Amino acid sequence: MNPQHNRQAETGQTDRPLIILGCGYTGRLILPLTTQRGTATWATSRNPTQQLATVPLPQRLEFDLARPATWGHLPAGADLIWCFPASPLSAVQQWAGTQRSRFNRLVVLGSTSAYETADDSTTYPPPWTDETAPIDRTKPRVQGEEYLCNEFGAILLRVAGIYGPGRNPLDWITQGRVGPSRKYVNLIYGEDLAGICLAAIEKGTPSGVYNVSDGMPYTWKEICEAAQQRWGVIPTAAQGDPSPGKRISNTKLRTELGYELKHQDLYQALDLIELAKPQL
Ligand SMILES: NC(=O)c1ccc[n+]([C@@H]2O[C@H](COP(=O)([O-])OP(=O)(O)OC[C@H]3O[C@@H](n4cnc5c(N)ncnc54)[C@H](OP(=O)(O)O)[C@@H]3O)[C@@H](O)[C@H]2O)c1
């Protein structure tokens, strides 16, 4: 075993620096949690002056997968959490071929949209989807994720819909982006996702795949009904998407990464988000 990991097992601490590659919604939630990790942490943006204005200057780095001239900006030896779609494959291959060896552990955020949707919509509710389910390899981001996972030991997180402050499913209902359909939706609270990214960096198996979801899929109809009863939110869309959706299993996440979800109850989490909303 790597001596760094031995030390970590003894003390619970690591001395490997961390780089959040693409510091958007999730990256900004990871940043405050890294103080517990106790190592140097950097955040990247394609335009750090504009996008990372709230991040202390010494922690900001410019990085763009599409611009190889920026790749050398990342300090060597760090762990990486890759928070944007790993595509196109050609750029991912070029980056990995020249840069991967400069870094330590790599966590890549993928999406549960990688899983093929069953053609057989007569099976309802849909069966649980675990990490062994077939994936759609025609999707560019799936090609990039699989490449990093299989060829370069990346730990791949297949992430469900991210929600939290500023990403409020009640707003999606009001805006008509979703309606009261029978389609199942799988969600993960942003703060939990951030914690899971750090758990994956420490405990994930290289080339391992983990679904990231709160494990409590609902139909949009159920959520719309609760939204109306609890918060007076009226759906503006007609019934909407008739497809069955998916039910994403998070068993591997809970058993192998040992992460305890803080926001497993969607309706309690929505209460928190509503309470935290700035009053107009
Ligand atoms: N939103 C969801 O519900 C959902 C569901 C499943 C999976 N995911 C996936 O989970 C990951 C994290 O999601 P998120 O919502 O936190 O993402 P996000 O807010 O879009 O943050 C990712 C950041 O990466 C940077 N970026 C984008 N393209 C880049 C490139 N080519 N090179 C370098 N940096 C780049 C962008 O920052 P700058 O503009 O500052 O460079 C962007 O803000 C993403 O891969 C997303 O697709 C999201």
Side-chain angles (χ1 to χ4, degrees):
M1 189 188 238
N2 180 330
Q4 281 179 328
H5 287 123
N6 265 338
R7 178 183 166 277
Q8 184 196 326
E10 285 160 18
T11 64
Q13 291 243 309
T14 170
D15 49 14
R16 303 182 313 274
L18 180 69
I19 302 174
I20 301 165
L21 220 48
C23 192
Y25 187 85
T26 306
R28 281 163 209 276
L29 296 170
I30 297 173
L31 265 181
L33 303 183
T34 59
T35 46
Q36 292 159 11
R37 201 171 185 259
T39 64
T41 303
W42 290 274
T44 82
S45 165
R46 291 166 296 181
N47 183 349
T49 310
Q50 222 170 47
Q51 301 296 338
L52 300 180
T54 57
V55 175
L57 192 57
Q59 285 180 271
R60 299 181 208 163
L61 297 171
E62 184 188 15
F63 174 84
D64 185 346
L65 182 66
R67 283 187 295 141
T70 64
W71 296 354
H73 295 168
L74 309 185
D79 289 341
L80 300 179
I81 303 180
W82 181 309
C83 298
F84 60 92
S87 70
L89 179 61
S90 56
V92 172
Q93 285 173 326
Q94 195 190 345
W95 178 85
T98 58
Q99 303 293 309
R100 175 69 183 101
S101 61
R102 295 180 61 227
F103 302 103
N104 211 303
R105 287 162 71 80
L106 169 63
V107 165
V108 173
L109 273 65
S111 169
T112 54
S113 64
Y115 293 117
E116 286 172 357
T117 324
D119 293 334
D120 172 20
S121 60
T122 54
T123 309
Y124 192 85
W128 287 95
T129 298
D130 70 13
E131 290 80 355
T132 63
I135 52 173
D136 181 353
R137 292 172 198 275
T138 65
K139 291 186 171 159
R141 77 172 296 162
V142 174
Q143 294 168 3
E145 290 160 8
E146 288 298 297
Y147 181 76
L148 290 172
C149 181
N150 296 331
E151 306 293 329
F152 287 92
I155 297 151
L156 176 57
L157 305 181
R158 294 210 180 107
V159 181
I162 304 168
Y163 78 108
R167 287 197 182 173
N168 184 344
L170 297 179
D171 294 338
W172 307 341
I173 295 170
T174 313
Q175 294 157 3
R177 289 168 60 190
V178 289
S181 72
R182 69 172 198 153
K183 183 176 184 176
Y184 275 90
V185 60
N186 302 269
L187 296 167
I188 183 72
Y189 196 78
E191 195 187 313
D192 273 324
L193 171 58
I196 289 162
C197 288
L198 291 178
I201 274 286
E202 300 311 333
K203 298 185 198 159
T205 305
S207 299
V209 180
Y210 302 85
N211 287 345
V212 176
S213 158
D214 62 18
M216 303 281 284
Y218 287 95
T219 64
W220 276 115
K221 185 168 183 288
E222 288 168 332
I223 297 175
C224 287
E225 282 169 5
Q228 189 157 358
Q229 280 161 18
R230 291 173 177 239
W231 299 283
V233 169
I234 313 283
T236 55
Q239 210 186 12
D241 192 342
S243 63
K246 298 162 192 162
R247 291 194 299 159
I248 302 292
S249 163
N250 69 359
T251 303
K252 188 172 175 189
L253 169 77
R254 287 185 290 106
T255 54
E256 293 192 19
L257 292 188
Y259 184 83
E260 272 190 44
L261 291 157
K262 294 181 180 64
H263 299 279
Q264 203 172 12
D265 185 316
L266 172 64
Y267 301 139
Q268 276 180 16
L270 291 178
D271 258 338
L272 289 178
I273 298 169
E274 285 294 293
L275 283 173
K277 249 185 182 174
Q279 299 302 316
L280 297 174

